[in-house]
Amino acid sequence: MSDVASEIRLPDNVLIFDTTMRDGEQTPGVSFTVNEKKNIAEQLTKLGVDVIEAGMPIVSKGEEKAIREIAKLELDTEICALARTNLKEIDLAIDCGVDRVHIFIATSDLHMKEKLNMTREQVLNSAVEAVRYVKEHGLKVEFSAEDATRSDLNFLKEIYGEVVKAGAGVINVPDTVGCTTPRAYAYLTKQLTDVVKTDTIISVHTHDDFGLAVSNSLAAVEMGAKQVHATVNGIGERAGNASLEEVVMSLIALYGIKTNIKTENIFETSKLIENLSGVKIAPNKSIVGDNAFRHESGIHAHAVLVDPRTYEPITPDVIGRKRGEKDATVSSIVVGKHTGRHSLKAKLDSYGYIYSDEQLGEIMDRIKKLGDKGKNVTDKDLQAIAEDIISRVSEEEQFLKLKELLVITGLNITPTATVRIEVGEEEKLVSDLGVGPVDAAFNALQKAVKAFGEMSLVEYNLEAITGGTEALGFVTVKIKDNKDKLYIAKAANEDIVSASVQALINAVNRKLAYDRNYNNRVNSIS
Ligand code: KIV
Ligand code: ZN
């Protein structure tokens, strides 16, 4: 044991840099609205992250607006914006009112030659100039050598050494394509400690292409890295980033390292991101998955009842959940037609939903209507209804509104759908045929709305929420536009065709809102 201890340099505290709204939003199909981003920033502050990377302003007007509005919230958390080394991009980031600018430029020979078309010298000069520029404007600066783990080690040491001299207080080491291993990343971290000042923070940023994102981050911390980049639920580009909840709980429970995270808020934050991103948490996901604290084997279950430590490394209350239950804190509240606003609110809060007063009213109406029809409203019904309402774009952004839907289907007849739909100021009435009722409705919508013509349905999922013929149908759709951008949307209704059509409309409203706000300026960042 002491042999191991002498080889590692564990810090006492580690800072958590959250990039859910920047790298996390680069998950295919995920785009948060400005309001959603403000809600996420507030929740991350409640969670206690040290830095929130709110986005990269040059990406789009909507992204820029979200960063400005988050900065205006004056939260107790440091707000950061990402920029390349281009001074105009940096000006835009500074103008958004953030506390920190995170600058990046690629340093691997592959990226410099094939992507940037720049020499090492040009990259070095550009990085130093950019860091100095931010520093002169009085902001904190963090520098990332993109694709660091595939860069020449001597060049990497040189560039990090120079940016530190130019004023970078934090140097971040991205494993951009997730191809390093814990031992290699630990070695790299150790090498970099030799070229930076003693008060420079070494930060790590990992991707999960080989399922090593968390292990790699921890390996770097073992060698003295004092800041970890992470995303809630591990969402992010390709296979995702290091998952915040896994990193934090490992640091605390396995290493005894302190963080500023209020762990009891982890579960609700995870649920919020699951709901807003539409990316479902796998049941076997560590810490926040449905099964993380469930015990199937009789021997385990019995032992846990006697002493949870027998088969649980941490107890669920540490992260704000109850053993084996999704509805963490108020599972005993039953919703139905007699439910009051107060208990509905408590129930929704326990799932981590963030909603407006209007949305609360709408959820209440839908529940009461179901109750009036004699239906027993289960927790799952409530979640489906809440997700349908909360995941819609705001009322002003709803360009398409479904007014009426008539579907004729049966044995030996061709399914026909007729929709009456508001398209902006206009109202349209169209009918079409299809191989089934949903297909017929989709075809009718394509006739009525030009935007539908540009979209294709890539995934359709129908879940019957509770058994029986009166079950609520919960539909999730994934549609793709002509630029291959994905949009995820949901809807719930006892009538499964109505739920399907509403989900499609919600998805297209998301796309139209995105096109209006997020007039893309750059296509991709890593
Ligand atoms: O993965 C990466 O290299 C990044 C940088 C922009 C930090 O996300
Ligand atoms: Zn990344």
Side-chain angles (χ1 to χ4, degrees):
M1 192 65 189
S2 58
D3 284 353
V4 176
S6 66
E7 281 170 21
I8 62 177
R9 314 168 172 184
L10 279 191
D12 295 332
N13 303 290
V14 165
L15 302 167
I16 301 298
F17 178 113
D18 179 275
T19 182
T20 308
M21 287 193 275
R22 202 277 298 167
D23 228 350
E25 206 197 23
Q26 289 175 221
T27 307
V30 173
S31 53
F32 302 118
T33 63
V34 174
N35 274 340
E36 286 171 347
K37 284 199 173 185
K38 284 165 72 180
N39 289 337
I40 294 173
E42 276 168 353
Q43 180 65 30
L44 290 172
T45 303
K46 183 173 171 203
L47 180 65
V49 305
D50 300 280
V51 185
I52 295 174
E53 188 166 51
M56 184 180 186
I58 196 68
V59 165
S60 70
K61 285 196 193 127
E63 177 103 346
E64 180 192 326
K65 183 169 175 217
I67 301 167
R68 285 185 190 281
E69 300 217 352
I70 290 172
K72 271 195 234 141
L73 292 174
E74 300 200 353
L75 300 169
D76 279 341
T77 310
E78 214 183 286
I79 307 299
C80 170
L82 180 69
R84 291 176 291 195
T85 53
N86 176 307
L87 299 191
K88 286 218 170 77
E89 260 180 49
I90 296 174
D91 277 335
L92 186 62
I94 296 173
D95 197 53
C96 284
V98 296
D99 309 291
R100 178 187 299 204
V101 181
H102 174 197
I103 289 170
F104 76 102
I105 189 164
T107 51
S108 65
D109 289 336
L110 177 70
H111 276 233
M112 288 188 290
K113 179 164 176 279
E114 305 295 342
K115 187 180 83 173
L116 299 176
N117 200 12
M118 285 168 87
T119 62
R120 285 188 183 183
E121 196 187 355
Q122 286 168 327
V123 166
L124 177 72
N125 291 340
S126 178
V128 169
E129 181 191 34
V131 168
R132 198 169 285 139
Y133 188 73
V134 178
K135 204 65 201 161
E136 278 164 11
H137 283 78
L139 271 74
K140 292 191 189 163
V141 47
E142 169 160 349
F143 174 79
S144 279
E146 190 191 12
D147 209 15
T149 50
R150 293 192 298 176
S151 302
D152 175 80
L153 183 55
N154 287 330
F155 179 52
L156 206 57
K157 283 182 168 177
E158 186 185 356
I159 195 163
Y160 277 130
E162 291 304 316
V163 293
V164 168
K165 279 190 218 147
V170 182
I171 57 158
N172 182 51
V173 189
D175 181 29
T176 304
V177 290
C179 61
T180 198
T181 60
R183 192 171 279 223
Y185 207 40
Y187 175 78
L188 178 57
T189 310
K190 191 161 177 241
Q191 290 288 312
L192 293 177
T193 49
D194 299 341
V195 297
V196 297
K197 297 183 188 157
T198 44
D199 59 349
T200 306
I201 293 176
I202 298 187
S203 165
V204 288
H205 176 109
T206 56
H207 280 272
D208 213 24
D209 298 68
F210 289 90
L212 292 172
V214 173
S215 309
N216 285 335
S217 298
L218 297 174
V221 169
E222 286 186 1
M223 282 302 151
K226 288 201 184 114
Q227 178 182 275
V228 177
H229 282 207
T231 61
V232 176
N233 299 340
I235 61 169
E237 189 85 47
R238 304 184 309 280
N241 290 54
S243 130
L244 185 147
E245 54 284 0
E246 293 175 24
V247 168
V248 168
M249 289 319 300
S250 304
L251 289 174
I252 298 173
L254 307 180
Y255 291 87
I257 292 175
K258 291 191 199 76
T259 72
N260 292 318
I261 298 295
K262 296 175 189 74
T263 61
E264 66 278 14
N265 296 331
I266 285 183
F267 191 56
E268 60 179 36
T269 310
S270 159
K271 285 288 156 206
L272 174 72
I273 297 302
E274 180 182 37
N275 295 329
L276 295 183
S277 67
V279 181
K280 286 268 162 236
I281 300 171
N284 61 338
K285 163 94 173 60
S286 318
I287 316 286
V288 291
D290 277 2
N291 295 346
F293 297 94
R294 278 187 177 151
H295 305 275
E296 178 72 23
S297 127
I299 299 171
H300 287 210
H302 174 74
V304 166
L305 284 177
V306 179
D307 186 338
R309 288 174 302 177
T310 49
Y311 286 103
E312 280 176 355
I314 55 168
T315 50
D317 53 297
V318 173
I319 58 144
R321 66 186 288 187
K322 275 192 178 170
R323 181 166 298 113
E325 284 178 13
K326 244 182 159 181
D327 42 348
T329 48
V330 283
S331 53
S332 56
I333 298 175
V334 177
V335 290
K337 65 179 186 182
H338 303 293
T339 304
R341 237 179 141 78
H342 188 72
S343 37
L344 179 60
K345 230 173 145 350
K347 194 95 186 172
L348 292 171
D349 291 347
S350 77
Y351 295 122
Y353 293 124
I354 295 190
Y355 46 86
S356 63
D357 273 358
E358 261 177 15
Q359 287 169 329
L360 179 67
E362 256 187 84
I363 298 170
M364 183 85 127
D365 281 354
R366 293 269 301 265
I367 283 167
K368 288 193 185 282
K369 276 190 193 137
L370 273 185
D372 283 341
K373 288 182 192 162
K375 187 163 167 21
N376 173 23
V377 186
T378 65
D379 285 357
K380 288 213 163 203
D381 291 329
L382 171 65
Q383 287 176 36
I385 291 171
E387 283 179 32
D388 173 348
I389 290 168
I390 297 169
S391 69
R392 291 186 195 185
V393 292
S394 66
E395 182 68 22
E396 326 71 85
E397 286 178 318
Q398 287 179 23
F399 191 66
L400 307 179
K401 283 188 185 140
L402 182 65
K403 292 291 169 191
E404 276 172 21
L405 168 71
L406 172 73
V407 179
I408 302 170
T409 188
L411 194 64
N412 295 333
I413 58 163
T414 310
T416 314
T418 304
V419 289
R420 193 159 69 79
I421 186 168
E422 242 177 57
V423 184
E425 311 276 274
E426 258 185 280
E427 191 168 282
K428 297 199 175 177
L429 183 69
V430 275
S431 301
D432 210 339
L433 310 173
V435 291
V438 177
D439 186 49
F442 189 61
N443 293 341
L445 288 170
Q446 275 190 320
K447 257 191 189 169
V449 188
K450 189 171 155 273
F452 265 100
E454 296 164 4
M455 317 290 295
S456 52
L457 181 64
V458 282
E459 217 174 286
Y460 170 86
N461 183 282
L462 167 68
E463 195 188 335
I465 295 299
T466 35
T469 45
E470 90 286 22
L472 198 66
F474 185 53
V475 174
T476 309
V477 293
K478 223 183 238 181
I479 59 171
K480 192 165 76 175
D481 67 12
N482 49 8
K483 293 186 195 113
D484 277 354
K485 179 150 180 57
L486 289 168
Y487 300 86
I488 300 172
K490 313 162 195 181
N493 200 301
E494 308 101 284
D495 175 335
I496 54 172
V497 182
S498 300
S500 308
V501 173
Q502 189 60 57
L504 288 168
I505 289 177
N506 292 349
V508 174
N509 272 332
R510 268 196 112 79
K511 180 219 161 22
L512 295 173
Y514 184 86
D515 284 351
R516 270 194 306 275
N517 288 326
Y518 287 71
N519 162 28
N520 270 4
R521 293 173 176 149
V522 290
N523 290 329
S524 69
I525 345 141
S526 42

